[in-house]
PDB file of all heavy atoms in Angstrom:
ATOM      1  N   ALA A 265     118.376  81.791 147.681  1.00 90.00           N
ATOM      2  CA  ALA A 265     118.079  81.059 146.448  1.00 90.00           C
ATOM      3  C   ALA A 265     118.935  79.814 146.285  1.00 90.00           C
ATOM      4  O   ALA A 265     118.445  78.774 145.828  1.00 90.00           O
ATOM      5  CB  ALA A 265     118.272  81.983 145.252  1.00 90.00           C
ATOM      6  N   ILE A 266     120.218  79.899 146.659  1.00 91.00           N
ATOM      7  CA  ILE A 266     121.138  78.776 146.450  1.00 91.00           C
ATOM      8  C   ILE A 266     120.650  77.545 147.214  1.00 91.00           C
ATOM      9  O   ILE A 266     120.395  77.606 148.422  1.00 91.00           O
ATOM     10  CB  ILE A 266     122.569  79.134 146.888  1.00 91.00           C
ATOM     11  CG1 ILE A 266     123.107  80.303 146.077  1.00 91.00           C
ATOM     12  CG2 ILE A 266     123.483  77.911 146.766  1.00 91.00           C
ATOM     13  CD1 ILE A 266     123.283  80.019 144.618  1.00 91.00           C
ATOM     14  N   GLY A 267     120.496  76.446 146.521  1.00 91.00           N
ATOM     15  CA  GLY A 267     120.062  75.194 147.133  1.00 91.00           C
ATOM     16  C   GLY A 267     118.566  75.002 147.144  1.00 91.00           C
ATOM     17  O   GLY A 267     118.083  73.890 147.401  1.00 91.00           O
ATOM     18  N   ALA A 268     117.796  76.062 146.855  1.00 92.00           N
ATOM     19  CA  ALA A 268     116.339  75.945 146.854  1.00 92.00           C
ATOM     20  C   ALA A 268     115.848  75.426 145.504  1.00 92.00           C
ATOM     21  O   ALA A 268     116.558  75.482 144.499  1.00 92.00           O
ATOM     22  CB  ALA A 268     115.705  77.301 147.152  1.00 92.00           C
ATOM     23  N   ASP A 269     114.629  74.899 145.486  1.00 91.00           N
ATOM     24  CA  ASP A 269     114.035  74.444 144.234  1.00 91.00           C
ATOM     25  C   ASP A 269     113.759  75.648 143.343  1.00 91.00           C
ATOM     26  O   ASP A 269     113.255  76.670 143.807  1.00 91.00           O
ATOM     27  CB  ASP A 269     112.731  73.693 144.512  1.00 91.00           C
ATOM     28  CG  ASP A 269     112.229  72.972 143.277  1.00 91.00           C
ATOM     29  OD1 ASP A 269     111.624  73.642 142.412  1.00 91.00           O
ATOM     30  OD2 ASP A 269     112.446  71.754 143.162  1.00 91.00           O
ATOM     31  N   VAL A 270     114.088  75.514 142.059  1.00 91.00           N
ATOM     32  CA  VAL A 270     113.973  76.656 141.157  1.00 91.00           C
ATOM     33  C   VAL A 270     112.530  77.137 141.015  1.00 91.00           C
ATOM     34  O   VAL A 270     112.274  78.316 140.797  1.00 91.00           O
ATOM     35  CB  VAL A 270     114.570  76.312 139.776  1.00 91.00           C
ATOM     36  CG1 VAL A 270     113.722  75.268 139.050  1.00 91.00           C
ATOM     37  CG2 VAL A 270     114.698  77.563 138.929  1.00 91.00           C
ATOM     38  N   THR A 271     111.556  76.226 141.156  1.00 89.00           N
ATOM     39  CA  THR A 271     110.161  76.640 141.020  1.00 89.00           C
ATOM     40  C   THR A 271     109.720  77.524 142.181  1.00 89.00           C
ATOM     41  O   THR A 271     108.755  78.278 142.044  1.00 89.00           O
ATOM     42  CB  THR A 271     109.239  75.409 140.929  1.00 89.00           C
ATOM     43  OG1 THR A 271     109.411  74.593 142.094  1.00 89.00           O
ATOM     44  CG2 THR A 271     109.547  74.595 139.679  1.00 89.00           C
ATOM     45  N   ASP A 272     110.427  77.418 143.325  1.00 90.00           N
ATOM     46  CA  ASP A 272     110.133  78.307 144.453  1.00 90.00           C
ATOM     47  C   ASP A 272     110.838  79.652 144.294  1.00 90.00           C
ATOM     48  O   ASP A 272     110.307  80.689 144.684  1.00 90.00           O
ATOM     49  CB  ASP A 272     110.571  77.657 145.774  1.00 90.00           C
ATOM     50  CG  ASP A 272     109.779  76.400 146.079  1.00 90.00           C
ATOM     51  OD1 ASP A 272     108.588  76.352 145.698  1.00 90.00           O
ATOM     52  OD2 ASP A 272     110.352  75.470 146.687  1.00 90.00           O
ATOM     53  N   VAL A 273     112.036  79.616 143.721  1.00 90.00           N
ATOM     54  CA  VAL A 273     112.802  80.854 143.519  1.00 90.00           C
ATOM     55  C   VAL A 273     112.236  81.655 142.353  1.00 90.00           C
ATOM     56  O   VAL A 273     112.126  82.884 142.419  1.00 90.00           O
ATOM     57  CB  VAL A 273     114.291  80.529 143.268  1.00 90.00           C
ATOM     58  CG1 VAL A 273     115.077  81.811 142.971  1.00 90.00           C
ATOM     59  CG2 VAL A 273     114.878  79.807 144.455  1.00 90.00           C
ATOM     60  N   LEU A 274     111.871  80.938 141.275  1.00 90.00           N
ATOM     61  CA  LEU A 274     111.340  81.596 140.073  1.00 90.00           C
ATOM     62  C   LEU A 274     109.976  81.013 139.722  1.00 90.00           C
ATOM     63  O   LEU A 274     109.837  80.199 138.797  1.00 90.00           O
ATOM     64  CB  LEU A 274     112.292  81.396 138.886  1.00 90.00           C
ATOM     65  CG  LEU A 274     113.649  82.083 138.924  1.00 90.00           C
ATOM     66  CD1 LEU A 274     114.453  81.694 137.684  1.00 90.00           C
ATOM     67  CD2 LEU A 274     113.476  83.592 138.984  1.00 90.00           C
ATOM     68  N   PRO A 275     108.921  81.375 140.445  1.00 92.00           N
ATOM     69  CA  PRO A 275     107.577  80.885 140.109  1.00 92.00           C
ATOM     70  C   PRO A 275     107.013  81.614 138.886  1.00 92.00           C
ATOM     71  O   PRO A 275     106.088  82.428 138.979  1.00 92.00           O
ATOM     72  CB  PRO A 275     106.773  81.191 141.369  1.00 92.00           C
ATOM     73  CG  PRO A 275     107.446  82.382 141.964  1.00 92.00           C
ATOM     74  CD  PRO A 275     108.918  82.231 141.644  1.00 92.00           C
ATOM     75  N   LEU A 276     107.597  81.314 137.735  1.00 91.00           N
ATOM     76  CA  LEU A 276     107.255  82.039 136.505  1.00 91.00           C
ATOM     77  C   LEU A 276     105.956  81.507 135.909  1.00 91.00           C
ATOM     78  O   LEU A 276     105.717  80.290 135.866  1.00 91.00           O
ATOM     79  CB  LEU A 276     108.387  81.882 135.491  1.00 91.00           C
ATOM     80  CG  LEU A 276     109.726  82.509 135.883  1.00 91.00           C
ATOM     81  CD1 LEU A 276     110.853  81.958 135.013  1.00 91.00           C
ATOM     82  CD2 LEU A 276     109.655  84.035 135.755  1.00 91.00           C
ATOM     83  N   ARG A 277     105.131  82.435 135.410  1.00 90.00           N
ATOM     84  CA  ARG A 277     103.877  82.070 134.760  1.00 90.00           C
ATOM     85  C   ARG A 277     103.720  82.866 133.476  1.00 90.00           C
ATOM     86  O   ARG A 277     104.247  83.979 133.358  1.00 90.00           O
ATOM     87  CB  ARG A 277     102.694  82.321 135.699  1.00 90.00           C
ATOM     88  CG  ARG A 277     102.741  81.456 136.951  1.00 90.00           C
ATOM     89  CD  ARG A 277     101.490  81.546 137.785  1.00 90.00           C
ATOM     90  NE  ARG A 277     101.570  80.636 138.922  1.00 90.00           N
ATOM     91  CZ  ARG A 277     101.252  79.341 138.872  1.00 90.00           C
ATOM     92  NH1 ARG A 277     100.823  78.812 137.730  1.00 90.00           N
ATOM     93  NH2 ARG A 277     101.351  78.576 139.935  1.00 90.00           N
ATOM     94  N   ASP A 278     102.998  82.273 132.524  1.00 87.00           N
ATOM     95  CA  ASP A 278     102.756  82.994 131.285  1.00 87.00           C
ATOM     96  C   ASP A 278     101.547  83.903 131.440  1.00 87.00           C
ATOM     97  O   ASP A 278     100.956  83.993 132.533  1.00 87.00           O
ATOM     98  CB  ASP A 278     102.590  82.026 130.109  1.00 87.00           C
ATOM     99  CG  ASP A 278     101.378  81.113 130.248  1.00 87.00           C
ATOM    100  OD1 ASP A 278     100.505  81.398 131.095  1.00 87.00           O
ATOM    101  OD2 ASP A 278     101.291  80.116 129.508  1.00 87.00           O
TER     102      ASP A 278
END
Side-chain angles (χ1 to χ4, degrees):
I266 299 295
D269 191 280
V270 68
T271 58
D272 295 328
V273 176
L274 292 177
L276 295 164
R277 297 188 177 276
D278 63 15

